[in-house]
Amino acid sequence: MGSVNKGLNPLTSIRCVVADHSFSLSELSALTQAFNDERDWSRYHCPRNLAMALSVEASELLELFLWSEDDGPQPPVPGRIEKAREELADVAICLLNLADRMDVDLGQAVVDKLKINGAKYPVEKAKGRMEKSDEL
Ligand SMILES: [Mg+2]
């Protein structure tokens, strides 16, 4: 686990670096599925439930940043940094579960969507701007 294939397109070999280890999306998905299988939780993992869980976990992450000041620390309470790390992981786990249940190749989906976004937000129009594509 964790070997880097240098022959892969960097956009299709999205990897998460954790300390001195690196995990591919498929490795993380396999770990997540093994975790679920040990607990017999996959029975609850219909796409609707997983989409709701993803939203809940994203909201738990968002809550940690609630009432931050624009020029203040974010999250506003230093003790929340570790909690934010955990919530990021919860979001990723839910996303992996949902992609798996929907038979979506998440890495390829990200690459495909970046292409769509690139066409929608060409660099010459969008660089340094925050407007939506129809406002550029
Ligand atoms: Mg959570």
Side-chain angles (χ1 to χ4, degrees):
M1 193 181 286
S3 66
V4 176
N5 183 342
K6 293 180 181 172
L8 294 175
N9 175 332
L11 287 179
T12 57
S13 59
I14 295 168
R15 302 184 75 79
C16 298
V17 176
V18 181
D20 60 346
H21 300 284
S22 178
F23 300 91
S24 69
L25 284 177
S26 62
E27 289 167 339
L28 291 173
S29 182
L31 287 170
T32 301
Q33 293 314 310
F35 181 92
N36 294 335
D37 290 346
E38 288 172 345
R39 289 156 183 80
D40 194 22
W41 283 356
S42 294
R43 67 171 73 194
Y44 305 112
H45 288 179
C46 67
R48 181 202 62 222
N49 287 348
L50 291 168
M52 287 193 290
L54 178 61
S55 179
V56 168
E57 295 300 345
S59 294
E60 289 175 1
L61 175 63
L62 184 60
E63 185 180 29
L64 299 172
F65 294 89
L66 187 63
W67 310 124
S68 296
E69 295 180 32
D70 286 345
D71 56 354
Q74 298 191 13
V77 178
R80 293 181 186 171
I81 292 172
E82 178 58 26
K83 186 65 180 161
R85 181 177 174 272
E86 292 177 9
E87 296 303 342
L88 281 167
D90 280 344
V91 168
I93 290 166
C94 284
L95 188 60
L96 288 168
N97 278 327
L98 182 55
D100 182 69
R101 182 50 58 116
M102 294 180 68
D103 290 325
V104 169
D105 178 336
L106 191 55
Q108 189 61 57
V110 168
V111 170
D112 294 345
K113 189 61 167 86
L114 284 171
K115 285 182 189 166
I116 292 168
N117 290 350
K120 221 170 141 179
Y121 295 95
V123 173
E124 61 275 9
K125 281 187 176 180
K127 188 170 185 175
R129 299 180 64 177
M130 51 60 142
E131 294 94 335
K132 291 183 65 76
S133 60
D134 62 352
E135 298 169 329
L136 292 173

